[in-house]
Each structure stands twice: as structure tokens, then as C-alpha cells.
Amino acid sequence: MADGATPRQHDARGTDRLGRLPAVDALLGGLGAAIERHGRRAVVEAVRADLDALRAALREGAGPGDDAALDAHVAAAAVAARVDAALA
């Protein structure tokens, strides 16, 4: 690993950060415009897929580099942009 951490350390760090991820319902509150455009079911599925991909990346030691970047990645505006792109 480039930073000297072992794969296990990366996994532990990523796993610890999983708890910082918001619930789908918490994100939906900021996605009203996307729900109007695409429908609630499609947005829920896209948000779940987005969070699943982020969880997988964190478990592998990838994903946003620090907690501030992680928070920005799961901010409603960032999620809305990815949901819109996924459903376009």
C-alpha cells in the first residue's frame, strides 16, 4: 500500500467510516426535485445503488479520502447529481 498501511488497516478504516453514511430516507429529504423528475421508486433504487457502491469502495480502502470528503460525497446535492446522471 502506498501509505504503508496493510490491506487489513485499510479495511478497518473503511469499515469504521461506514457508520458515517446516511440512511436512504435521510438522503431522500434533499432529493425532492429528483423525485419529481424520476419518481420516488427510481430515486430510492438509485440512492441505494449509490450507497452500495460507496460501501464497497470503503470496504476496499478506496472512496473519499477523509471524513470531510466523505461528508461532501454524501451531501444531498452530490447524491442528487449522481442520481440524475444514473437516471438520465
Side-chain angles (χ1 to χ4, degrees):
M1 302 259 127
D3 63 2
T6 67
R8 182 178 205 100
Q9 289 169 321
H10 275 285
D11 289 344
R13 212 175 352 179
T15 301
D16 291 344
R17 297 177 72 207
L18 291 172
R20 294 185 63 84
L21 299 182
V24 171
D25 285 339
L27 288 172
L28 291 177
L31 300 177
I35 291 170
E36 286 181 26
R37 280 190 297 280
H38 307 291
R40 182 176 175 84
R41 173 175 270 164
V43 171
V44 167
E45 289 174 7
V47 168
R48 285 181 179 150
D50 188 64
L51 287 174
D52 286 347
L54 181 54
R55 284 184 197 102
L58 290 173
R59 285 185 185 112
E60 293 174 7
D66 60 20
D67 288 344
L70 179 60
D71 292 344
H73 188 81
V74 296
V79 173
R82 289 191 303 275
V83 165
D84 280 336
L87 297 175

